[in-house]
Amino acid sequence: MVDADSGWDGRGGSSTPGAGAGGTHGAGPFQGRSGTPALPDGRSTPALPDRRSTPALPGRRVAAASLVALAALATGCEPGTATGAQDAPPPVRATRAAAPTASPATEDAKPPTAPTPSPPASTTPPAPTPTPEPEPARTTARPAPEPSTAPPPRILMRTGSESDRVRELQARLRQIGHFGRNPTGYYGSVTAESVRSFQTKRSLPVTGSTDEVTWRRLLGMTRVPTAAELRPPTERPVAAPDERCLKGRVLCISKNSRTLAWMIDGTVVSAMDVRFGSEYTPTREGVFEVFWKSRDHVSTLYDTPMPYALFFSGGQAVHYSADFAANGYGGASHGCVNVRDKKKVAALFDQVRTGDKVVVYW
């Protein structure tokens, strides 16, 4: 019978390495003098632990196991990385300072990447990340503005107008230096030019006509005219009456002062500005009397209106003149005595009677 504990494998040799003092059975290659396996460079390897409880292996398997153990020790593999080397103690390694470990890779297949070095404090700060420009706001295209269709301001007074409002306009313009005469109530070229001057200075449309905008602006800059401002007796002081004017009912007309004074027994009832004929058609001087009254007279010779005419010498008469009201002393008559205040001459026409005296003098 074969004894199982003797390690007999049928070949007559023991499979236990190192059995007996000088036994050679089961010895692996590179065996040294002490029976310990030697490495190829002649160094001896640590003896494997003697485990008596390990079953005996055949000689070839023992040799193969020895080679695997030697290879594992020679290559420095970790324990448990090769089959049959689990029982080998790990080799003693020199200790090193622990190197800084990198952060684990986020993916198992990728090697860890070295951390990005921080810039030194002396370096300039990194340029700011450009921010994308905002998209321009979308604007809806607007159509071009159409010309204003608003109606122009309503015209209140214009050349040819005649009323108490025109008189007030003239008085207000005179308050602020745009009208250099007494109000007449007639809107002529002089008044139109005064309105143009006012409109120009106030940056208004220069038309010469008084519209609602011009009128409101003028009202805001002036006060309500007094009765004396609206109807002053004359533009110039009334001259001292001629002695021929001191008795009776007399139209006392002075070429020097260019005034007419309606007098009764030496008392002035009313006075008004007048103008006379040119040097080619002079107004006759002397003492006359009213021989004809014509309220709505029109000249047959010049085809011009002569309202409130009081004829005293041939075709010469005292009457209202729209041209005088508009242009002042810039013009002249054809020999008549022109009055520019229509209301005054109208009142005079009603008071004067045929046969009343007329005195024209210097």
Side-chain angles (χ1 to χ4, degrees), residues 1-10:
M1 294 180 65
V2 178
D3 186 1
D5 292 334
S6 64
W8 171 252
D9 60 357

Side-chain angles (χ1 to χ4, degrees), residues 240-256:
D242 186 277
E243 61 180 11
R244 293 170 292 182
C245 301
L246 299 178
K247 293 183 180 179
R249 298 162 59 92
V250 184
L251 294 173
C252 194
I253 304 169
S254 171
K255 284 188 173 181
N256 185 41

Side-chain angles (χ1 to χ4, degrees), residues 30-348:
F30 312 112
Q31 182 176 1
R33 294 180 179 179
S34 61
T36 303
L39 294 176
D41 58 0
R43 292 178 299 167
S44 61
T45 60
L48 295 175
D50 185 9
R51 293 182 181 253
R52 297 184 183 271
S53 60
T54 302
L57 296 176
R60 294 179 181 178
R61 292 182 181 180
V62 171
S66 300
L67 289 175
V68 171
L70 290 174
L73 293 173
T75 57
C77 291
E78 294 294 335
T81 57
T83 304
Q86 290 88 347
D87 298 332
V92 178
R93 296 183 181 181
T95 59
R96 296 181 181 179
T101 57
S103 302
T106 56
E107 293 181 5
D108 294 341
K110 290 184 178 180
T113 52
T116 304
S118 301
S122 60
T123 58
T124 58
T129 304
T131 57
E133 296 184 0
E135 295 184 2
R138 297 181 180 178
T139 56
T140 305
R142 297 181 179 179
E146 298 181 359
S148 175
T149 57
R154 183 168 62 96
I155 301 297
L156 302 179
M157 293 167 276
R158 56 163 55 94
T159 301
S161 300
E162 189 172 5
S163 64
D164 286 341
R165 179 180 275 186
V166 174
R167 186 181 296 275
E168 182 182 353
L169 168 71
Q170 294 166 335
R172 287 179 180 272
L173 288 171
R174 184 170 185 173
Q175 288 177 9
I176 55 178
H178 286 280
F179 191 76
R181 302 175 183 178
N182 284 340
T184 63
Y186 180 80
Y187 203 119
S189 60
V190 174
T191 303
E193 187 59 35
S194 299
V195 171
R196 288 191 192 95
S197 173
F198 175 78
Q199 291 171 332
T200 300
K201 191 170 183 179
R202 309 304 166 193
S203 301
L204 299 172
V206 181
T207 62
S209 298
T210 304
D211 54 32
E212 292 177 325
V213 175
T214 302
W215 181 242
R216 286 196 301 267
R217 181 68 66 86
L218 181 61
L219 292 179
M221 297 179 61
T222 55
R223 54 177 171 77
V224 177
T226 64
E229 288 175 329
L230 289 172
R231 287 179 172 81
T234 58
E235 183 176 285
R236 301 176 62 181
V238 178
D242 186 277
E243 61 180 11
R244 293 170 292 182
C245 301
L246 299 178
K247 293 183 180 179
R249 298 162 59 92
V250 184
L251 294 173
C252 194
I253 304 169
S254 171
K255 284 188 173 181
N256 185 41
S257 64
R258 293 184 291 192
T259 60
L260 182 155
W262 166 234
M263 302 180 67
I264 298 177
D265 295 330
T267 301
V268 177
V269 177
S270 65
M272 57 204 75
D273 294 321
V274 292
R275 74 176 182 181
F276 308 99
S278 66
E279 60 180 331
Y280 303 104
T281 56
T283 302
R284 291 184 284 270
E285 303 165 13
V287 178
F288 311 92
E289 64 179 33
V290 175
F291 67 89
W292 183 32
K293 294 173 61 176
S294 179
R295 185 179 295 274
D296 299 311
H297 191 77
V298 177
S299 172
T300 56
L301 182 60
Y302 300 105
D303 193 26
T304 56
M306 298 172 57
Y308 309 108
L310 300 169
F311 288 92
F312 62 88
S313 176
Q316 295 185 356
V318 176
H319 67 84
Y320 169 74
S321 170
D323 181 75
F324 181 30
N327 300 312
Y329 291 100
S333 72
H334 294 97
C336 290
V337 179
N338 292 161
V339 180
R340 63 181 177 187
D341 192 321
K342 195 172 185 178
K343 282 193 173 183
K344 285 186 176 182
V345 74
L348 179 67

